[in-house]
Amino acid sequence: MTEPEFAPADAESRPLWLVVQGDDGPIWPESVDSAFAKASGFTGKPGQICLLPGEDGVAGALFGIGKPASPADRPARERFTLARAAETLPEGAWRLAGVPDSYDLTHGALGWLFAQYRFDRYKKAEPPKARLVCPEGVDREAVLAMAAGEYLARDLINTPASDMGPGDLEAAARDLAARHGASVEVITGEALAEGFPMIHAVGRAAGQGRAPRLIDLRFPGEGPAVTLVGKGVCFDTGGLDIKPSASMLIMKKDMGGAANVLGLTNTLARLGRAGGLRVLVPAVENAVAGDSFRPGDVLTSRKGVTVEVNNTDAEGRLILADALAYAAEESPRLLVSMATLTGAARVALGPDLPPFFCDDEAVADALFRASRDHADPIWRMPFWEPYEAMIEPAIADLDNAPGGGFAGAITAALFLRRFTEGAGAYAHFDIYGWQPSAAPGRPKGGVGQGMRAILHALPTIA
Ligand code: BES
Ligand code: MN
Ligand code: ZN
């Protein structure tokens, strides 16, 4: 587990000049030898780097940030371009110089830290070489808190199921709670079977020490009543409707929703903004054994609604349903779920753009704006009423896996919504939680999605 870090404020540092592309080429900083940069082919296009020679080695560098971006494009541009600098600059401390007024350094600094994440639990990793001196005007604590939340989410997802079972997820939640003075209650065994029959049914086939549980974190203090619920399927084999090997390969990431809500919680707590927050994580392993739940079984949920299991691989909505019903019983002002819920979400929008569902226009608006302004892309999809009929099977109230293969992300979201009655507003995020190949600021592996959109929207919506 690594923590994000800036270079010490008093470190000896070299300047990294941010160079904008004007209409007639790069706008050169005054003290920079433009002839050298021109001759080396530097044009200032986004992400381009030109090292500047000095008496003894590299004296500084130019970094292209391209043409001025529109306000809407700026955060993403800033976050992802500067991440590239963090990955390629030579060792040492760097300070930003020649920063244009329109440039939002917070996103740049965040991108830098995002790029320097390492997962070194099983193999020594090269530590980051180029460190950024936290630029003036940037809220250092806020940026570090956001990066720490992202690092935590990535660590939890990247850790394989052999070391990240339901008990390990519980330990991670307890650790977070202990660090920030939250209380933890964990429901297991008989109490789980009685009170949360669907969490128990999905998780009961797991091996020794990996029993299903519901983890319940509460932060003391006054605050808006917000409850976050995260899907904690520590490994998803598909159950008796077993997944083919290619689909099962990355299913250690099926606790990505839990990882994201815990990451977000970490950020909120570090910033002193977790007062009144509640976090629920149903943690299970969807395993194959003699006591696995079966296709065709009818489960009676905590809410009393009956569910016909038409596919044991649609397990996420089952465990979330009981957790959401529990959350809704105390009528939080805002209820949020995050889950690696459907392959259909990824088919619709791809791995980098998670859909979110929300009936409350003001909340949906705030989430979308925050996502755009903080380079944390999400896209709204509808709780489409006419498809309600699709989740109603023959012999029970609800169907966990409607046939036909249509609108899989929407029908999953509609299923969850049936269990949220009582909550003020409800927003559901169907995230992928995984970066399939490395991109600036996002190494291959677990990745946070939607955390910062929620973080920045919270003050307006709850
Ligand atoms: N964890 C998966 C969803 C998933 C698969 C997310 C691949 C990201 C990548 C979930 O439990 C699942 O298997 N869902 C099924 C539902 C279907 C059986 C109705 C799916 O999406 O195929
Ligand atoms: Mn599944
Ligand atoms: Zn799953």
Side-chain angles (χ1 to χ4, degrees):
M1 167 104 210
T2 48
E3 286 288 327
E5 266 179 73
F6 284 115
D10 55 0
E12 183 125 0
S13 62
R14 285 175 285 187
L16 178 64
W17 300 93
L18 301 187
V19 181
V20 180
Q21 276 178 320
D23 290 337
D24 312 311
I27 300 171
W28 303 106
E30 254 173 50
S31 60
V32 161
D33 176 6
S34 60
F36 175 83
K38 263 189 240 170
S40 29
F42 182 82
T43 62
K45 69 173 189 239
Q48 195 182 15
I49 290 176
C50 177
L51 299 180
L52 301 171
E55 311 254 291
D56 41 23
V58 176
L62 302 179
F63 186 72
I65 57 174
K67 298 205 184 305
S70 72
D73 291 340
R74 225 186 276 144
R77 174 91 72 88
E78 284 151 13
R79 174 182 148 198
F80 297 124
T81 52
L82 214 55
R84 210 182 298 250
E87 281 155 11
T88 45
L89 284 173
E91 182 145 14
W94 294 83
R95 65 178 183 278
L96 299 181
V99 180
D101 284 345
S102 64
Y103 196 87
D104 186 329
L105 287 169
T106 299
H107 301 131
L110 199 56
W112 192 295
L113 297 179
F114 278 15
Q116 300 196 317
Y117 169 80
R118 301 284 185 273
F119 183 61
D120 55 5
R121 179 160 174 167
Y122 302 100
K123 181 177 159 183
K124 241 183 141 46
E126 269 282 291
K129 289 190 298 201
R131 291 289 191 187
L132 181 67
V133 175
C134 183
E136 230 170 281
V138 165
D139 183 341
R140 188 170 181 276
E141 287 317 306
V143 170
L144 286 173
M146 287 188 269
E150 175 72 24
Y151 279 28
L152 173 62
R154 291 181 184 179
D155 277 345
L156 293 174
I157 297 173
N158 286 332
T159 305
S162 48
D163 287 319
M164 190 49 68
D168 302 289
L169 200 50
E170 176 186 330
R174 283 191 186 279
D175 178 55
L176 182 62
R179 273 184 288 131
H180 298 288
S183 62
V184 188
E185 204 186 315
V186 176
I187 302 168
T188 53
E190 253 328 285
L192 190 76
E194 291 256 314
F196 303 86
M198 299 209 292
I199 300 176
H200 181 262
V202 171
R204 73 189 179 207
Q208 248 209 331
R210 303 178 72 89
R213 62 204 73 196
L214 178 62
I215 305 161
D216 188 353
L217 254 65
R218 276 181 198 275
F219 286 79
E222 283 297 300
V226 177
T227 300
L228 307 175
V229 180
K231 172 176 171 181
V233 175
C234 293
F235 195 75
D236 184 8
T237 64
L240 293 176
D241 288 308
I242 196 163
K243 286 180 185 292
S245 54
S247 311
M248 205 191 294
L249 189 58
I250 54 169
M251 280 301 131
K252 69 173 182 181
K253 80 169 176 78
D254 214 20
M255 33 59 73
N260 271 262
V261 300
L262 292 175
L264 171 58
T265 301
N266 188 32
T267 301
L268 285 166
R270 276 182 67 145
L271 296 175
R273 287 178 47 193
L277 180 70
R278 185 183 191 192
V279 181
L280 286 167
V281 172
V284 303
E285 189 162 335
N286 190 15
V288 180
D291 57 349
S292 291
F293 72 126
R294 313 161 197 81
D297 283 358
V298 174
L299 307 175
T300 302
S301 65
R302 172 177 185 83
K303 201 176 161 69
V305 172
T306 58
V307 178
E308 185 175 310
V309 176
N310 280 304
N311 194 319
T312 60
D313 198 9
E315 83 298 338
R317 67 197 76 185
L318 301 174
I319 64 168
L320 287 169
D322 275 352
L324 286 168
Y326 190 42
E329 283 163 22
E330 63 172 30
S331 301
R333 185 115 57 90
L334 175 67
L335 178 57
V336 174
S337 55
M338 303 186 88
T340 51
L341 199 63
T342 70
R346 168 201 52 174
V347 172
L349 299 179
D352 297 345
L353 185 59
F356 76 102
F357 300 80
C358 183
D359 279 333
D360 183 307
E361 294 302 318
V363 171
D365 249 33
L367 286 167
F368 181 70
R369 272 167 212 281
S371 98
R372 192 195 55 196
D373 294 348
H374 296 274
D376 185 17
I378 54 174
W379 202 261
R380 191 177 180 189
M381 296 222 305
F383 281 117
W384 189 251
E385 292 281 345
Y387 294 166
E388 287 281 1
M390 289 192 200
I391 60 172
E392 288 167 0
I395 66 160
D397 297 321
L398 282 177
D399 182 341
N400 82 326
F406 294 123
I410 294 178
T411 50
L414 288 173
F415 185 100
L416 295 182
R417 192 178 63 166
R418 295 278 186 116
F419 297 87
T420 62
E421 196 188 349
Y426 174 51
H428 160 61
F429 293 76
D430 194 337
I431 62 172
Y432 193 56
W434 188 260
Q435 184 65 29
S437 54
R442 290 168 296 169
K444 180 176 173 178
V447 73
Q449 293 183 314
M451 280 193 271
R452 281 169 307 113
I454 299 171
L455 175 77
H456 293 287
L458 275 181
T460 24
I461 61 184

